[in-house]
Amino acid sequence: MGRKKIQSALISVYYKDQLEPILNILKDNGVSIYSTGGTQKFIQEQGIEVTSVESLTGYPSILGGRVKTLHPKVFGGILSRRDNPSDQEEVSEYEIPDLDLIIVDLYPFEETVSSGADEQSIIEKIDIGGISLIRAAAKNFKDVAIVASKNQYRELTDILEEKGCSTDLEDRKYLAAQAFNVSSHYDSAIFNYFNRELQIPALKISELKATELRYGENPHQKGLFYGDLESLFEQIHGKALSYNNLVDIDAAVALVEEFDEETAFAILKHTNACGAATGNSVKDAYLKAFEADTISAFGGILATNRTVDLGAAEEINKLFFEVIIAPEYTPEALEVLKTKKNRIILVKKDNLKETKIAKTLLNGILEQDKDLKTDSLEDLKVATKRATTDEENKALLFASKVCKHTKSNTIVLAKEGQLLASGVGQTSRVDALKQAIKKAGDFNMDLNGAVMASDAFFPFPDCVEIADQAGIKAVIQPGGSVRDKDSIDYCDAHNMAMVFTGFRHFKH
């Protein structure tokens, strides 16, 4: 078991909440405590005897507190191997006391960066002594216990209470692993801060919070979410979120965030919108979204960017769905929506902040910038003799937003503020268009005067010809094919309008 009684401890922490129970255990067991600065003062205020690190080292805290614990009498006491005769001779010769427990945390670097502080303030929050103490104690876990985060105070208290102020080897090894988790995360945060400008081609991803999911994409796969969901959502009802829920929620939120100034509603299945609309109210937008595909909406993910009121909730409640996301709900709406006990109700507290996308493949990681480009009126370059009307432009930009968030190859058919149908994830653009037209017919969506959006250019004129025959009169696409002129010529011959944006929106 390798049980060791704690006889001495070094404590130097930024966060002192929940430290008092540990101090009382150490005091009751006659442990010699060493400390510095504010921590030393805090311990003394608890009526507990404490020795300053300065009196141990013979040096005061210098350079404005930058150097306090960096001394052989401190690190020798941590790193000395208790079963190594040579080490023990040296610590005896230099009067270095053994240190059995190190409790130290790190300056709040990430919090300082997030606060928008100036660079010098951020640099001063790069911890030197603390990180060194953590690494030294974790390396010598055979003899030393290390606690590197306030989040472990409770855990350490339980160990000390259970084992009479002692630790087992398995405890110390576990604490060492947790300490390296803290230190590696801290260093990653510092590197990523500097790399905002330098753009060194290296990838450092670190998340300390993990949520175990019911399972992964399928029941035989294990699933975990790394990150802080609580900063983005408050779950106020329903069962635990699943892997597939999270994938679809991300897609739904990303789509709805495209609509800043309009009331928008989206219904998604397997990350694709089966319904999307804007309206005069949440209820109006929902009904228009639902109209496009009343079958696929079953069991879907619902998202809106406005408050869900009673009228909207009564309509939405008629549908079986997995998740609903909104910035707010009226009390009356919640009363209706909570009638299904497993239904997940999320309050969206903030917007998505990621600017990068990473994906594991081929035994490596693929990273790219997130597609943050939203096609605007200024991007539209008329390619045909007939220019698009104001009404068509509004419909085209709406269709483009939906198209951007739909799996390639995709074609989106829409009128102003309403998805009529889409063809998604097809191996050819023609197949995607045919799928969309068929789907529109299945749900009695009138395509006369509708518009078409494509995520990439048309290599042949077949798509605009098929669209024309279905009643579509305006097209938005990136352009850039060597055969753009063939599609333009067909549009000109049939009084269709087409605009190029210059931006492709593949999504795989």
Side-chain angles (χ1 to χ4, degrees):
M1 292 174 63
R3 180 164 295 189
K4 287 183 176 289
K5 184 81 172 178
I6 294 171
Q7 299 182 54
S8 59
L10 171 61
I11 306 174
S12 180
V13 295
Y14 190 88
Y15 297 101
K16 299 167 184 66
D17 295 344
Q18 305 302 315
L19 186 60
E20 192 174 346
I22 297 172
L23 293 173
N24 288 330
I25 293 172
L26 300 179
K27 175 187 174 183
D28 293 343
N29 284 272
V31 175
S32 299
I33 300 175
Y34 299 88
S35 191
T36 63
T39 308
Q40 180 185 345
K41 181 181 178 183
F42 176 79
I43 295 171
Q44 289 170 333
E45 289 171 349
Q46 311 308 309
I48 298 173
E49 186 177 342
V50 57
T51 301
S52 69
V53 168
E54 289 90 338
S55 66
L56 171 64
T57 64
Y59 279 86
S61 173
I62 62 173
L63 305 182
R66 281 188 165 199
V67 180
K68 290 182 281 192
T69 58
L70 296 168
H71 193 279
K73 282 207 168 184
V74 174
F75 283 85
I78 297 171
L79 287 166
S80 69
R81 291 159 289 189
R82 288 18 173 204
D83 60 357
N84 185 301
S86 177
D87 283 8
Q88 292 310 300
E89 286 178 14
E90 289 188 70
V91 297
S92 177
E93 178 183 354
Y94 295 108
E95 298 180 337
I96 298 173
D98 287 339
L99 294 171
D100 306 316
L101 171 65
I102 307 299
I103 303 176
V104 59
D105 58 14
L106 300 170
Y107 293 155
F109 178 82
E110 289 180 281
E111 294 87 339
T112 306
V113 172
S114 297
S115 73
D118 61 88
E119 182 169 270
Q120 188 54 43
S121 298
I122 291 170
I123 298 303
E124 287 305 315
K125 286 298 185 288
I126 297 177
D127 206 310
I128 303 301
I131 204 81
S132 302
L133 291 168
I134 288 170
R135 291 181 64 84
K139 176 178 180 177
N140 200 26
F141 68 86
K142 283 183 66 178
D143 298 303
V144 181
I146 171 67
V147 169
S149 167
K150 62 180 180 178
N151 297 327
Q152 290 181 278
Y153 289 174
R154 179 69 256 178
E155 204 165 11
L156 177 63
T157 302
D158 292 342
I159 291 172
L160 298 181
E161 286 179 342
E162 179 186 341
K163 299 178 181 179
C165 203
S166 298
T167 60
D168 292 332
L169 179 60
E170 63 181 359
D171 298 325
R172 296 191 296 277
K173 191 170 185 178
Y174 166 76
L175 292 171
Q178 291 283 19
F180 283 124
N181 184 28
V182 170
S183 65
S184 63
H185 177 81
Y186 195 76
D187 285 339
S188 293
I190 295 169
F191 170 79
N192 287 333
Y193 168 74
F194 281 95
N195 210 35
R196 288 178 177 181
E197 294 182 5
L198 299 174
Q199 295 295 298
I200 297 167
L203 179 63
K204 309 290 182 187
I205 299 174
S206 179
E207 290 289 350
L208 292 177
K209 294 189 71 172
T211 303
E212 187 166 354
L213 306 174
R214 297 199 302 273
Y215 49 79
E217 198 164 8
N218 299 292
H220 63 277
Q221 296 169 267
K222 183 177 180 180
L224 289 160
F225 174 81
Y226 295 99
D228 187 7
L229 271 179
E230 293 176 1
S231 67
L232 192 59
F233 299 110
E234 178 188 359
Q235 182 172 345
I236 56 177
H237 188 72
K239 61 186 178 182
L241 289 162
S242 71
Y243 179 100
N244 292 328
N245 287 156
L246 292 173
V247 172
D248 285 336
I249 288 167
D250 178 69
V253 169
L255 173 55
V256 168
E257 284 186 1
E258 294 282 356
F259 301 92
D260 291 330
E261 299 175 1
E262 304 161 290
T263 297
F265 205 103
I267 306 170
L268 276 81
K269 288 287 286 291
H270 299 287
T271 74
N272 294 306
C274 55
T278 58
N280 298 321
S281 65
V282 173
K283 177 181 176 180
D284 178 43
Y286 165 73
L287 289 172
K288 288 166 67 178
F290 179 65
E291 184 182 14
D293 187 342
T294 58
I295 294 176
S296 296
F298 183 86
I301 306 294
L302 280 54
T304 183
N305 59 354
R306 296 291 187 270
T307 299
V308 176
D309 59 17
L310 178 60
E314 287 175 337
E315 284 296 335
I316 293 166
N317 195 51
K318 297 174 184 177
L319 174 69
F320 169 77
F321 60 90
E322 285 273 325
V323 182
I324 184 168
I325 309 144
E328 195 174 352
Y329 306 82
T330 65
E332 297 81 7
L334 280 178
E335 189 174 339
V336 171
L337 294 174
K338 286 182 176 180
T339 55
K340 302 290 190 296
K341 69 174 183 176
N342 288 329
R343 178 181 286 163
I344 298 167
I345 303 175
L346 300 178
V347 176
K348 182 170 176 282
K349 300 192 288 186
D350 200 358
N351 284 343
L352 299 174
K353 295 291 199 307
E354 304 97 334
T355 59
K356 300 281 187 180
I357 294 175
K359 180 186 293 186
T360 58
L361 51 76
L362 298 175
N363 297 330
I365 299 173
L366 195 64
E367 185 197 53
Q368 67 168 342
D369 294 336
K370 192 173 183 180
D371 184 0
L372 299 176
K373 172 62 183 175
T374 299
D375 295 331
S376 66
L377 190 62
E378 291 72 28
D379 295 319
L380 306 187
K381 305 295 187 294
V382 177
T384 50
K385 291 178 181 177
R386 182 173 82 77
T388 50
T389 66
D390 290 344
E391 184 179 352
E392 286 173 336
N393 283 336
K394 291 176 183 178
L396 289 167
L397 292 174
F398 171 87
S400 174
K401 290 177 180 179
V402 178
C403 189
K404 170 185 167 182
H405 293 275
T406 306
K407 288 292 179 70
S408 300
N409 287 312
T410 184
I411 292 289
V412 167
L413 308 180
K415 289 185 178 178
E416 184 180 347
Q418 186 179 27
L419 170 65
L420 302 178
S422 60
V424 303
Q426 298 301 301
T427 52
S428 82
R429 210 155 299 284
V430 170
D431 285 345
L433 175 56
K434 288 179 177 178
Q435 182 190 61
I437 292 170
K438 180 181 184 304
K439 193 168 187 179
D442 289 345
F443 292 96
N444 298 314
M445 305 302 287
D446 184 10
L447 295 181
N448 286 305
V451 303
M452 173 173 70
S454 175
D455 58 338
F457 63 62
F458 298 119
F460 303 103
D462 44 9
C463 280
V464 291
E465 181 178 353
I466 295 168
D468 174 44
Q469 292 169 359
I472 291 156
K473 294 302 176 187
V475 180
I476 184 170
Q477 59 138 316
S481 169
V482 295
R483 301 186 65 173
D484 276 344
K485 188 175 184 301
D486 293 347
S487 295
I488 294 169
D489 288 346
Y490 182 91
C491 288
D492 286 341
H494 295 82
N495 197 33
M496 294 178 71
M498 183 162 61
V499 295
F500 293 167
T501 64
F503 293 94
R504 190 179 73 186
H505 294 292
F506 271 167
K507 184 184 178 190
H508 295 105

